[in-house]
């Protein structure tokens, strides 16, 4: 049976994606880097947990009546730093529901968001490596197909 270059690419890329994804999940190097990132962020922000609200926190949190009820959290005040940022306001409302104006909760959520963003970037870089591998496979397949056509 004759396999066309495009079909061969899809077969190889699909195989690499399945096996590559398993390698990313089971990659001890990836786990080590993720642990290092989380530890570094925790160390950098550790002394901020009991710090006071600063700069734009007064209008964003202390004077923001919309965060005092979850029902109004997605409607941030127009004249505040959170205007047009309903998810930020929602996170402030969740913090307020748990600890009102205690700064530790707000700082912990901020640290968790930084950790999650860093881990997403790390994962995206690993996925990017898989896509580069798939592009290389496509280039190899195209080259093989061109060579086969010239020798027929």
């Amino acid at each position: 049976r004759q396999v066309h270059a495009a079909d061969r690419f899809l077969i190889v890329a699909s195989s690499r994606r399945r096996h590559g994804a398993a390698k990313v999940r089971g990659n001890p190097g990836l786990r080590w880097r993720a642990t290092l990132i989380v530890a570094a962020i925790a160390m950098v922000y550790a002394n901020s947990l009991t710090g006071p609200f600063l700069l734009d926190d007064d209008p964003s949190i202390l004077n923001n009546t919309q965060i005092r009820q979850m029902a109004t959290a997605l409607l941030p005040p127009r004249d505040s730093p959170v205007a047009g940022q309903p998810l930020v306001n929602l996170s402030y409302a969740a913090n307020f529901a748990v600890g009102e104006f205690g700064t530790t909760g707000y700082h912990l959520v901020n640290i968790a968001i930084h950790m999650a963003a860093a881990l997403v970037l790390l994962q995206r870089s690993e996925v990017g490596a898989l896509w580069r591998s798939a592009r290389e496979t496509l280039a190899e397949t195209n080259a093989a197909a061109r060579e086969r056509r010239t020798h027929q």
Side-chain angles (χ1 to χ4, degrees):
R1 177 174 169 241
Q2 191 176 26
V3 177
H4 294 285
D7 294 332
R8 189 167 143 207
F9 167 72
L10 291 174
I11 292 167
V12 172
S14 173
S15 172
R16 281 192 179 180
R17 190 174 3 189
R18 272 195 310 272
H19 299 299
K23 287 179 187 172
V24 169
R25 278 193 295 274
N27 183 344
L30 178 63
R31 274 191 242 123
W32 172 248
R33 289 191 304 268
T35 302
L36 187 64
I37 287 170
V38 168
I41 291 171
M43 286 178 9
V44 167
Y45 286 101
N47 67 350
S48 72
L49 291 177
T50 58
F53 288 123
L54 299 171
L55 306 172
D56 65 349
D57 291 337
D58 281 350
S60 298
I61 299 169
L62 300 175
N63 301 331
N64 183 352
T65 58
Q66 303 298 81
I67 68 170
R68 297 189 183 148
Q69 295 179 10
M70 293 301 268
T72 58
L74 290 173
L75 304 167
R78 291 184 184 177
D79 58 341
S80 77
V82 292
Q85 300 180 54
L87 294 179
V88 172
N89 213 49
L90 182 63
S91 75
Y92 289 160
N95 275 302
F96 184 84
V98 172
E100 293 192 3
F101 294 120
T103 59
T104 302
Y106 291 87
H107 294 308
L108 282 172
V109 168
N110 188 36
I111 292 168
I113 289 169
H114 280 84
M115 286 179 180
L119 294 174
V120 165
L121 287 173
L122 175 64
Q123 180 64 26
R124 296 284 299 164
S125 70
E126 293 294 322
V127 169
L130 291 174
W131 278 112
R132 283 190 294 281
S133 175
R135 281 197 308 263
E136 289 167 5
T137 302
L138 176 60
E140 292 167 6
T141 304
N142 284 336
R146 275 194 297 273
E147 185 178 325
R148 193 177 74 203
R149 272 188 254 134
T150 58
H151 287 37
Q152 285 184 351

